Amino acid sequence: MTECSVTFYPQNIEAKIKKGKTILDALSQTDISLSNLCGGKGICGRCKVKVTEGDYSAGKSSKLNPEEIKNSIVLACLTKVNNNLKVEIPEYILIHDKHADKDALRYKDSKGINLMPDYEAEPLVIKAFLQLNEPGLKNNIADLQNVCETLSKKLKIKSVEMKLPVIRVLPEILKKSKYQVTATIGLQREFAEIINIEEGNTVDKNFMIVIDIGTTSVVAHLVNATTKETISTTACFNSQAIYGREVISRIIAAEKNGHEKLQELIIKDINILIKGLVETGKVDINNIYGVVCAGNTIMEHFLLNLPTQYIRRTPYIATTVDPPPLRASDLGININPQGLLYPLPGISGWVGSDLTAGILATGMYKDEKTSLLVDIGTNGEVIVGNKEWMMAVSASTGPALEGASVECGMRAETGAIEKVSIENKKVVYKTINNSPIKGLCGSGIIDLVAVLLKLEIINRSGKMDETKSDKVKTIKGIKRYILTDSKEGNKSVYISETDIENLITAKAAVYAAIKILLTRLELPLSAVENFYIAGGFGNYIDAENAIAIGLIPNIDREKLKFVGNTAIQGTKMVAFNQDYFYKIEEIRKNTTYYDLMGAEDYVQEFQKAMFLPHTDIEEFK
Amino acid sequence: MTECSVTFYPQNIEAKIKKGKTILDALSQTDISLSNLCGGKGICGRCKVKVTEGDYSAGKSSKLNPEEIKNSIVLACLTKVNNNLKVEIPEYILIHDKHADKDALRYKDSKGINLMPDYEAEPLVIKAFLQLNEPGLKNNIADLQNVCETLSKKLKIKSVEMKLPVIRVLPEILKKSKYQVTATIGLQREFAEIINIEEGNTVDKNFMIVIDIGTTSVVAHLVNATTKETISTTACFNSQAIYGREVISRIIAAEKNGHEKLQELIIKDINILIKGLVETGKVDINNIYGVVCAGNTIMEHFLLNLPTQYIRRTPYIATTVDPPPLRASDLGININPQGLLYPLPGISGWVGSDLTAGILATGMYKDEKTSLLVDIGTNGEVIVGNKEWMMAVSASTGPALEGASVECGMRAETGAIEKVSIENKKVVYKTINNSPIKGLCGSGIIDLVAVLLKLEIINRSGKMDETKSDKVKTIKGIKRYILTDSKEGNKSVYISETDIENLITAKAAVYAAIKILLTRLELPLSAVENFYIAGGFGNYIDAENAIAIGLIPNIDREKLKFVGNTAIQGTKMVAFNQDYFYKIEEIRKNTTYYDLMGAEDYVQEFQKAMFLPHTDIEEFK
C-alpha cells in the first residue's frame, strides 16, 4: 500500500501514513494534540483543519458549512489521505497552544483546606548515611551483607534487599568511599529495597515526584522527601486528548491502536513535567528516587499499559485496582534509573486512586462523623463514610461540567468565561486571564444557568422565556441566550436550550448519585457532617450557584468544604509518610464500590433531578 | 588498528581480532574451549595450536621443543596475530571433544548416602488451580484482586504479588478460561509472586532445573516440582575453562576482559544443559518455572556478572554471599520468561553455596552430634559443627587433587588412570572407560602415591628409591616412576618426585585445614561423629589410600561417609521444599567463616603435614 506524507503547519511536523488512512491517524503520530471531543467519530466537529495542498476524500458532516468546504476545511477524523498533503491547523483547536501551559497551571496548586498530616514517620524513599565496618581477615563479611546488616540495625527494618544492578557497583563504591556511604531505600510492599548506594553523605539530596494524572490535566509536584517541602509545581494537559477528551473515546482508541500508544503519550507528558520541575527546582534528576502517582483507574491502566477494554463493558471490571510498585525506568520515566514508581490503589474501574488519595487527604476514613466527598472532574465520584465504613459510587456525568457537550463550551482555558454574576439586574461575566471571550467553561456554565434561573430568563425545566430578555433569540428553531454577537471574525458566544439540557443531565447524574448512595445507607442528608467538594475544577465553582441549579444538595453552608485537588494532596501524604502507604491500601480494601448500573431506582432519582434545582423543590428550601 | 581474521580448524570457526592480540584472545570469542590451565600466562603449555597459514609472532616458551617450533606449533596465549591466520587445534587439547560430555556425565548423578528429606512442604514453585468467582455488577472485583484473594485463601499465604507482564494478559485469560485458571507461584523472599496464569488445570506441568556450577563441571537435573521426581540429569564441563582451570585465572581474565565474558560462557553452558534435559525429559521449556543453583561463590558471581576482583585479594571479600532471587530470563537463561532463578546463599568468598547445600543435604546443621564435612574439588572446604554451631574454612589446595600441576596429570576424562592397586606386589591400574592410557587423574594420583608408599618405592617425604623398582628412572635430574613408556607417538605416563611434592602440598593443605579447625574449636578428632566426604570427585577416592597418604585423618572407618555431590542434593532439597529455602539462609547466617590466612599456626600445621601421611606418625596409627 502506498505511503503518504502529511505535513502539519504551522508546526511543520511530518507524519507518514498509508493511503486511505485519515488525517487524524496522521496527527496521532505527532505530538500535536487537537481538542477533538468525540474520539474521531465526526460528531463534535472540533477537529477542523485546512488542507492547503494534496488530494483527499472528505467525509460529509453537518459540522461544516459550504464556505468551509469551499476553503478546503475538513474534519481530520473523516478525511482520508489520497496522496501527500499539507495541512494547516487553526490555532484555536490546538490544546498545546501558547496558553496551554498557563491554563493547565491553574490546576497545579491545591487550594482549599489542608488537614496538616502527621509527617513524623519516614517518607516512602529514605536516605541513610552508613558508616560501615571495614572488613578484614577476622571480619570477612561480604559487601552486600555488610550494607544490609548495618542498615537493618540503623533503621530497625527486617527485610532489606538489593537488586543486581546496584549490587554490581557495590564493591567499588565501598572501597572508594572508605566504607562511608549513603543508601537510598525505597519501600516495596513487603521489604525495603536499597535502590542506590553512593559515596559519602548525601542524605540532603532525596527528592520525589508526586503526580495526579487527570483525564484532562496532569499535575506534578517536585518534593524534598527529607524536609517534606514542595519545591516546584507544574501541570500540562493530558496529551491523550488527541484520542478524545473522554476516557471512553480513549479506551476505544486503545482497543483500535494498542494501549502502548496511550502509554507513550502520558509517559512523554510526565517526562516533560519532570524536566520542567527539576530545572525550576535546580535538582539533579538522578536524585529523584521515586514517583508517587494517583489518577482515575483508566489513566492508571494507560500509564502501565494494562488492558482497559473490560472497564467500559458491563460489569466494568478493571485489570487491577492495586498495581505493584515498579521500576520507573521500566516504563521510560526519567528519574534515577533504579527509582521506583508507586501507582496508588483505587477502588474500582470507575473510582480510582485519585479518590482513595482524596479520602486520605480529607481524613474522612478516620473521622467518627460521617462525611461525603464529591470529586467533580470529567467524571463525578461520590464517597460517603466514616471510620467504620465507606461506600463509593461513580456517576457518568458527560463532559458538560467541564465545558464540553455545550456548543460554546470550552475547557477552562484563556478566554473562557469562568464567572457569571448579576450586577444591577444585568448579566456580567469574567474570562480567564481577562482575555477576549472565546466560550464558556464549566464554572461559567453553572454560574450562567443559575443566573438565568434567578432572573427567570429560564424556567425550572431550563426552557427560555423570550419575553424576559432581549438577549434570547431563536436560531434554527432553538432558543439561545446570546452573550456576545459575532463580529470581526469572532464567533458568537451563547448558551442554547440544548446546552442547558446537557448541563441538567450532568448535574442530575451527580445529584442522583449522592441521593442513591445516601438512600442505600439509610442516611438523611443531615447526617452528613462534612461535605467535601474536591477536584481542581471544584476550586472555581460558586457554592451557592451549584446548589441553586441542584448540582449539590442544599446542605448547611458551614458543612461545605472546598478541598481542591485532594488527589495531589493525598498522594503527597503517601510520599511523605510510609504509614500512609499502608493506610491507603486499607482505604482501598475498606471502601465498598456500589455500581449505579445495578441500582434500579437510579434512573428514577436521575429523572427527578432533571429540573432546576429538582422536581421536589422542598429539598432545596 | 587493523582487524585480522583467525579461522580455527577443524571447527572452521572464524574470529575477528585486532592485529597484535593473541590467538587465545581470538579463541575466547568462539565456543571452542581449550584445556589451558594457567589462564594464559604461558606456564602450563597446554594451549598448543598449529598455525597453518598467516603471519604471527610467537612468544618464547620452554614448553615447545625445536621440532614443534619448526612445525609452526605455538602457544595460543603467547602468539600475537599479525595478519589473517588459519589455526589447527589438536584434538587432545579440546575440552569439548567427543568424550567431553561422557566424561562430564560421570558427575551428573549423586552417589553415596541420601538422607531422605522431608518433602511434605510445598516446592519453591507451586501451581494452584483456581476456580474464581465470575464478577458481576454486585461483585465488581478487579481481575488481579480476584486472583490474589482467591489464591491467598487457598494457599493460606498473606502476601501475593504479580508483575506487569503477567497482569497485562490477565483479563483475556480469565475471560477465555471462564475464570478457571492455574496460577504458578514462585516464592520470593518476602512474598509469593504469581509468575504465570494459564487457562484450565495444568497443575501437573510444573518443572524446575537444579544446577551445581562447579569450577570444572556443571551438573544439571530436571525435576518435577509437584511429584518431586528427578526426570533427567546431565552435565558438561564449565566452558569458562578457556580462561584457565582455576578460579584465580578466571578472576584475572574477568578483570582483564570483563566479567560479562565469563557470564556469557556459563549461561551458554546452562542453556545447552537445559535444552538437553527438556529433550530427554520431553518437557515443554515454558513449563520450567524455576532454576535453583548452587556453586562456589566465584562461580555464582560469574553467573550474576558480579565483581570478583576483591575475592582474590586480602581480606578476600565477596560482593555478596546471598544474592536475591531474580528473573532467569534477565540473565538470558531459557526457561519460562517469568521463571525465577534462585542462586543459593554461601558463607564467604571461598566457601560457597555448594557447601551450604552440602550442610543441608547431610543434615549436620540439625544433628546433636558433631560432624565434619570435607568437600574436595578444585578447592578444599571443611565444615565442622552441629545443631548449635558451625565453622567453615577453605584450603587452597592447588589443582593437584584434580590431576593438574602434575606433569602427566589430567582431568577425570577418558583415558585417565583413576584406580591404582597392588596385585602380586605389582602396580596395576585402570583407566576411565578402559581406554588407552593418557595420564593420571586425581584419584589415580592418590592411589598411586599410596601404593608407591606401601611398596616403599617412595619414602615418607615422597622421595623415590631407585633400588626398589626398575620403573624408577632419573631423567633430567628428576626421578620418575614410569607407568608406560613412550611408543608409537604416545607420551610416556609417569609420576615424578616433583609431582608427588605437589600432591603432598595439596593434601597437607586439606589436612592442616581440618587440624586447625578442630584445634580452634578445641575438639579432638574423636569428637567428630560423622566424617562426610563430598564432591563428585569424592566418589572415586579410595578411603584407605586417602588416609594412607594423610589427605584425611585416621578416623574410625564407620564414621566415614562418602556422600557424593551434596551440592546438587541440597539444591534439590531447596527446590522441593520451601522450608529449606529459609533453612539454607539460616545455615548461611549460623556458619562462621574462619580465614586460614589469619591463622598463625596454619603454616606450622601445614608443614607438619608435608610428610606421608604426616610428621607425627602417631596420628595415623
Side-chain angles (χ1 to χ4, degrees):
Chain A
M1 203 180 264
T2 327
E3 200 176 53
C4 306
S5 148
V6 182
T7 312
F8 297 100
Y9 295 90
Q11 295 85 353
N12 195 16
I13 291 174
E14 190 193 6
K16 297 276 186 189
I17 198 152
K18 282 180 184 162
K19 186 180 162 176
K21 291 274 178 182
T22 67
I23 295 178
L24 192 64
D25 291 329
L27 265 168
S28 75
Q29 293 184 16
T30 71
D31 285 342
I32 304 166
S33 292
L34 287 197
S35 68
N36 81 312
L37 286 180
C38 65
K41 299 194 216 78
I43 295 163
C44 71
R46 301 221 174 182
C47 62
K48 283 179 194 169
V49 295
K50 184 182 165 103
V51 182
T52 57
E53 210 178 298
D55 184 26
Y56 60 90
S57 312
K60 278 180 189 163
S61 168
S62 62
K63 298 287 167 188
L64 294 168
N65 62 38
E67 184 75 6
E68 286 174 325
I69 293 169
K70 201 175 125 196
N71 284 316
S72 303
I73 287 171
V74 298
L75 295 187
C77 65
L78 295 183
T79 305
K80 289 182 180 164
V81 177
N82 294 336
N83 61 13
N84 295 349
L85 295 189
K86 287 190 177 174
V87 175
E88 204 179 289
I89 298 175
E91 200 200 340
Y92 67 87
I93 67 157
L94 280 178
I95 290 178
H96 277 279
D97 70 5
K98 57 189 171 185
H99 298 300
D101 279 351
K102 202 163 86 189
D103 291 328
L105 286 173
R106 279 161 51 89
Y107 300 106
K108 76 183 169 55
D109 292 313
S110 165
K111 290 188 181 174
I113 60 156
N114 196 344
L115 303 162
M116 191 53 202
D118 159 27
Y119 283 157
E120 273 177 35
E122 295 282 4
L124 216 42
V125 175
I126 48 185
K127 274 196 162 184
F129 177 56
L130 304 177
Q131 296 176 289
L132 305 169
N133 289 323
E134 193 165 337
L137 281 178
K138 305 277 175 197
N139 162 32
N140 39 52
I141 188 165
D143 290 332
L144 175 59
Q145 283 64 50
N146 198 351
V147 170
C148 290
E149 287 178 18
T150 309
L151 188 68
S152 290
K153 269 182 222 155
K154 178 161 185 160
L155 298 186
K156 296 184 183 66
I157 37 180
K158 221 184 99 215
S159 301
V160 185
E161 284 213 11
M162 198 189 277
K163 302 294 180 190
L164 281 190
V166 188
I167 299 176
R168 280 193 188 118
V169 296
L170 203 53
E172 282 307 324
I173 292 173
L174 296 200
K175 287 254 164 203
K176 275 207 280 183
S177 70
K178 298 196 163 60
Y179 295 86
Q180 311 284 303
V181 294
T182 299
T184 308
I185 305 103
L187 195 68
Q188 294 267 15
R189 277 182 187 155
E190 291 88 2
F191 60 96
E193 185 191 340
I194 303 175
I195 57 175
N196 193 62
I197 284 283
E198 56 199 332
E199 289 179 56
N201 189 340
T202 65
V203 289
D204 57 332
K205 286 178 186 142
N206 182 16
F207 305 102
M208 293 181 83
I209 299 283
V210 173
I211 301 184
D212 170 30
I213 306 179
T215 309
T216 306
S217 12
V218 186
V219 180
H221 290 196
L222 169 66
V223 299
N224 182 321
T226 309
T227 64
K228 293 165 186 181
E229 286 165 341
T230 301
I231 297 166
S232 51
T233 65
T234 189
C236 69
F237 285 124
N238 188 328
S239 298
Q240 293 170 344
I242 194 172
Y243 289 116
R245 191 171 281 185
E246 284 182 87
V247 291
I248 293 286
S249 311
R250 295 191 203 166
I251 294 178
I252 294 168
E255 287 185 60
K256 216 171 118 190
N257 308 302
H259 280 74
E260 56 283 1
K261 285 258 180 199
L262 282 289
Q263 185 187 35
E264 269 170 35
L265 288 167
I266 186 63
I267 299 286
K268 207 181 270 183
D269 285 346
I270 290 173
N271 282 334
I272 290 169
L273 292 176
I274 293 176
K275 196 161 173 280
L277 286 171
V278 296
E279 280 169 9
T280 314
K282 293 184 178 59
V283 157
D284 182 345
I285 208 159
N286 275 307
N287 288 135
I288 299 177
Y289 303 100
V291 175
V292 192
C293 170
N296 68 58
T297 305
I298 292 141
M299 290 307 112
E300 218 167 74
H301 275 53
F302 286 147
L303 173 69
L304 302 173
N305 183 11
L306 294 177
T308 56
Q309 51 266 40
Y310 301 112
I311 302 182
R312 82 173 179 98
R313 294 179 172 93
T314 177
Y316 316 108
I317 302 304
T319 299
T320 178
V321 290
D322 195 9
L326 64 158
R327 200 79 47 210
S329 58
D330 283 354
L331 298 187
I333 295 177
N334 295 333
I335 59 168
N336 183 291
Q338 294 299 313
L340 295 171
L341 170 69
Y342 298 92
L344 295 185
I347 291 159
S348 77
W350 292 100
V351 180
S353 55
D354 44 351
L355 268 291
T356 46
I359 293 170
L360 184 69
T362 59
M364 61 186 284
Y365 69 94
K366 59 177 181 184
D367 200 340
E368 300 213 354
K369 296 178 196 158
T370 299
S371 304
L372 185 149
L373 167 65
V374 53
D375 193 329
I376 301 169
T378 313
N379 242 40
E381 297 97 349
V382 186
I383 319 270
V384 173
N386 55 39
K387 63 182 283 195
E388 302 293 336
W389 52 266
M390 276 179 297
M391 194 175 256
V393 296
S394 172
S396 175
T397 56
L401 292 168
E402 289 208 311
S405 77
V406 165
E407 274 191 83
C408 296
M410 64 181 288
R411 284 204 286 210
E413 294 167 20
T414 299
I417 293 174
E418 59 167 352
K419 283 269 162 223
V420 183
S421 52
I422 305 174
E423 270 176 32
N424 302 323
K425 295 192 178 169
K426 292 220 161 174
V427 176
V428 293
Y429 53 82
K430 181 197 162 296
T431 60
I432 293 176
N433 297 325
N434 296 311
S435 296
I437 179 170
K438 278 188 182 170
L440 284 153
C441 72
S443 60
I445 295 167
I446 292 168
D447 281 359
L448 180 56
V449 173
V451 159
L452 295 179
L453 185 68
K454 203 166 189 179
L455 294 173
E456 294 179 350
I457 295 169
I458 59 172
N459 68 10
R460 285 182 53 221
S461 302
K463 298 299 170 200
M464 289 184 187
D465 185 344
E466 283 173 306
T467 66
K468 293 288 169 67
S469 166
D470 55 1
K471 302 224 169 195
V472 176
K473 287 180 182 151
T474 304
I475 299 169
K476 291 183 190 165
I478 295 169
K479 286 183 184 151
R480 301 175 177 189
Y481 179 85
I482 311 288
L483 284 157
T484 60
D485 288 320
S486 54
K487 53 180 177 187
E488 286 163 30
N490 284 329
K491 286 197 313 171
S492 162
V493 174
Y494 55 87
I495 192 161
S496 72
E497 281 187 347
T498 317
D499 294 338
I500 294 174
E501 245 171 57
N502 287 339
L503 177 76
I504 292 176
T505 307
K507 75 97 191 169
V510 173
Y511 188 84
I514 294 170
K515 201 69 186 292
I516 291 291
L517 193 49
L518 292 175
T519 307
R520 281 299 170 283
L521 295 163
E522 297 179 1
L523 277 182
L525 180 62
S526 60
V528 173
E529 302 285 346
N530 299 296
F531 196 104
Y532 298 111
I533 297 181
F537 170 65
N539 287 332
Y540 302 94
I541 297 179
D542 181 281
E544 291 303 332
N545 286 339
I547 293 171
I549 67 162
L551 169 63
I552 55 174
N554 189 16
I555 188 111
D556 290 349
R557 301 304 185 266
E558 71 271 19
K559 291 183 176 177
L560 205 57
K561 282 157 190 150
F562 286 93
V563 285
N565 186 341
T566 48
I568 204 99
Q569 286 177 59
T571 306
K572 205 179 278 182
M573 284 167 68
V574 173
F576 285 164
N577 185 331
Q578 297 191 348
D579 295 346
Y580 292 133
F581 180 64
Y582 298 107
K583 187 56 78 184
I584 199 164
E585 177 70 22
E586 267 177 48
I587 290 172
R588 164 185 97 71
K589 286 185 182 160
N590 296 341
T591 309
T592 310
Y593 174 70
Y594 181 73
D595 200 306
L596 292 173
M597 293 301 110
E600 284 154 15
D601 45 353
Y602 178 67
V603 176
Q604 199 182 328
E605 276 302 334
F606 175 71
Q607 279 165 346
K608 278 162 70 182
M610 286 289 282
F611 284 82
L612 294 170
H614 196 266
T615 315
D616 184 4
I617 196 74
E618 288 307 309
E619 290 193 10
F620 283 82
K621 274 201 172 145
Chain B
M1 204 181 263
T2 326
E3 201 176 53
C4 305
S5 148
V6 182
T7 313
F8 297 99
Y9 294 92
Q11 295 86 352
N12 195 17
I13 291 173
E14 191 192 4
K16 297 274 185 190
I17 197 152
K18 284 185 183 155
K19 186 179 161 178
K21 293 275 177 179
T22 68
I23 295 176
L24 191 64
D25 291 330
L27 265 168
S28 74
Q29 294 182 16
T30 71
D31 285 341
I32 304 164
S33 294
L34 286 196
S35 69
N36 81 311
L37 286 180
C38 65
K41 300 195 215 79
I43 295 164
C44 72
R46 301 223 174 179
C47 61
K48 283 179 195 171
V49 295
K50 183 180 165 109
V51 182
T52 57
E53 211 177 298
D55 183 26
Y56 60 89
S57 312
K60 278 182 188 166
S61 168
S62 62
K63 298 289 167 186
L64 294 168
N65 62 38
E67 184 76 4
E68 287 173 322
I69 293 169
K70 200 176 127 194
N71 284 315
S72 301
I73 287 172
V74 298
L75 295 187
C77 65
L78 294 184
T79 305
K80 290 183 180 163
V81 177
N82 294 337
N83 61 13
N84 297 348
L85 294 190
K86 287 190 178 173
V87 174
E88 203 179 291
I89 298 175
E91 200 200 340
Y92 66 87
I93 67 156
L94 282 177
I95 290 177
H96 278 279
D97 70 6
K98 56 189 172 183
H99 299 299
D101 280 349
K102 201 163 87 189
D103 290 328
L105 287 172
R106 279 160 53 90
Y107 300 107
K108 78 181 166 56
D109 293 312
S110 165
K111 290 189 183 176
I113 60 155
N114 197 345
L115 302 163
M116 192 52 203
D118 159 29
Y119 284 157
E120 275 176 34
E122 296 281 5
L124 214 43
V125 175
I126 50 184
K127 274 195 164 187
F129 177 55
L130 304 178
Q131 296 177 288
L132 304 170
N133 289 322
E134 195 166 334
L137 280 178
K138 306 275 175 199
N139 163 32
N140 39 50
I141 188 167
D143 290 332
L144 176 59
Q145 282 65 50
N146 199 350
V147 170
C148 289
E149 287 177 19
T150 310
L151 188 69
S152 290
K153 270 179 219 154
K154 179 161 182 157
L155 296 186
K156 296 183 184 66
I157 37 180
K158 220 185 97 213
S159 302
V160 184
E161 285 213 11
M162 197 189 277
K163 301 295 179 189
L164 281 190
V166 188
I167 299 176
R168 281 195 186 116
V169 296
L170 202 52
E172 282 307 325
I173 292 172
L174 296 200
K175 288 254 163 204
K176 275 206 281 183
S177 70
K178 297 195 163 57
Y179 296 85
Q180 312 284 301
V181 294
T182 299
T184 308
I185 305 104
L187 195 69
Q188 293 269 14
R189 278 184 188 153
E190 290 88 3
F191 60 98
E193 186 192 341
I194 302 175
I195 56 175
N196 194 62
I197 285 282
E198 57 199 331
E199 288 178 57
N201 189 339
T202 65
V203 288
D204 58 330
K205 285 175 185 144
N206 181 17
F207 305 102
M208 294 181 82
I209 300 283
V210 173
I211 302 183
D212 169 31
I213 307 179
T215 309
T216 305
S217 16
V218 186
V219 180
H221 290 195
L222 169 65
V223 300
N224 182 322
T226 309
T227 64
K228 295 168 184 180
E229 286 165 342
T230 300
I231 297 166
S232 51
T233 64
T234 187
C236 70
F237 284 124
N238 188 328
S239 298
Q240 293 170 344
I242 194 174
Y243 289 116
R245 191 171 279 186
E246 283 181 86
V247 291
I248 293 286
S249 311
R250 295 191 201 166
I251 294 178
I252 294 168
E255 287 185 60
K256 214 171 120 191
N257 308 301
H259 281 74
E260 56 282 2
K261 286 260 180 195
L262 282 289
Q263 185 187 34
E264 269 169 36
L265 289 167
I266 185 64
I267 299 286
K268 206 180 272 182
D269 285 348
I270 289 173
N271 282 333
I272 291 169
L273 292 176
I274 293 176
K275 194 161 176 279
L277 286 172
V278 297
E279 279 169 13
T280 315
K282 293 183 178 58
V283 158
D284 182 346
I285 207 160
N286 275 306
N287 288 136
I288 298 176
Y289 302 100
V291 175
V292 192
C293 169
N296 69 57
T297 304
I298 292 141
M299 289 306 112
E300 219 167 72
H301 275 52
F302 286 146
L303 173 68
L304 302 173
N305 183 11
L306 294 176
T308 56
Q309 51 266 40
Y310 300 113
I311 303 182
R312 82 173 178 98
R313 295 180 171 93
T314 176
Y316 316 108
I317 301 304
T319 299
T320 178
V321 291
D322 195 9
L326 64 158
R327 200 81 46 209
S329 58
D330 283 354
L331 298 187
I333 295 176
N334 295 333
I335 59 168
N336 183 290
Q338 295 298 316
L340 295 171
L341 170 68
Y342 298 92
L344 295 185
I347 291 159
S348 77
W350 292 100
V351 180
S353 55
D354 44 350
L355 267 291
T356 46
I359 293 170
L360 185 70
T362 58
M364 61 186 284
Y365 69 94
K366 58 178 182 182
D367 199 340
E368 300 214 354
K369 294 178 197 157
T370 299
S371 303
L372 186 149
L373 167 64
V374 54
D375 193 329
I376 300 168
T378 313
N379 242 41
E381 297 97 350
V382 185
I383 320 270
V384 173
N386 56 38
K387 64 182 283 196
E388 303 292 337
W389 52 265
M390 278 179 296
M391 193 175 254
V393 297
S394 173
S396 176
T397 56
L401 292 168
E402 290 207 310
S405 76
V406 165
E407 272 189 86
C408 296
M410 64 181 288
R411 285 203 284 212
E413 295 167 22
T414 300
I417 294 175
E418 58 168 350
K419 285 269 161 221
V420 184
S421 53
I422 304 172
E423 270 177 34
N424 302 323
K425 296 193 178 169
K426 290 220 159 171
V427 175
V428 293
Y429 54 82
K430 184 197 159 298
T431 61
I432 292 175
N433 297 325
N434 296 312
S435 295
I437 179 169
K438 278 188 182 171
L440 283 153
C441 72
S443 60
I445 294 168
I446 291 168
D447 281 359
L448 180 56
V449 172
V451 161
L452 295 179
L453 184 67
K454 202 166 189 179
L455 294 173
E456 295 180 349
I457 295 168
I458 59 173
N459 67 11
R460 286 182 53 222
S461 303
K463 299 299 169 199
M464 291 184 187
D465 186 344
E466 283 171 304
T467 65
K468 295 289 168 69
S469 167
D470 55 3
K471 301 221 170 201
V472 176
K473 285 178 186 158
T474 303
I475 298 168
K476 290 183 190 166
I478 296 168
K479 285 181 186 156
R480 301 174 178 193
Y481 179 85
I482 311 289
L483 285 155
T484 60
D485 287 320
S486 55
K487 53 181 176 185
E488 286 162 30
N490 285 327
K491 286 198 313 173
S492 161
V493 174
Y494 56 87
I495 192 162
S496 72
E497 281 187 346
T498 315
D499 296 336
I500 294 173
E501 244 170 60
N502 286 338
L503 177 78
I504 292 175
T505 306
K507 75 96 190 170
V510 173
Y511 188 85
I514 295 170
K515 199 70 185 290
I516 290 290
L517 193 49
L518 293 175
T519 307
R520 282 298 170 282
L521 296 163
E522 297 181 1
L523 277 182
L525 180 62
S526 60
V528 173
E529 301 287 344
N530 299 297
F531 196 104
Y532 298 112
I533 297 180
F537 170 68
N539 287 332
Y540 303 94
I541 296 179
D542 182 280
E544 292 302 331
N545 285 340
I547 294 171
I549 68 161
L551 168 62
I552 53 174
N554 188 16
I555 190 106
D556 289 350
R557 299 307 185 264
E558 72 269 21
K559 291 183 177 178
L560 205 57
K561 283 158 189 151
F562 287 92
V563 284
N565 187 341
T566 48
I568 203 98
Q569 287 177 61
T571 306
K572 204 178 279 183
M573 285 166 68
V574 173
F576 285 164
N577 185 329
Q578 298 191 347
D579 295 345
Y580 292 133
F581 179 62
Y582 299 107
K583 188 55 78 184
I584 200 165
E585 177 68 23
E586 266 178 47
I587 290 172
R588 165 186 97 72
K589 285 184 183 160
N590 295 340
T591 309
T592 310
Y593 175 69
Y594 180 73
D595 200 307
L596 292 174
M597 290 304 110
E600 283 155 17
D601 45 354
Y602 179 66
V603 176
Q604 199 182 330
E605 276 303 332
F606 176 72
Q607 279 166 345
K608 278 161 73 182
M610 288 287 284
F611 282 82
L612 296 170
H614 196 266
T615 314
D616 184 5
I617 196 75
E618 288 306 310
E619 291 192 12
F620 284 82
K621 276 204 172 146

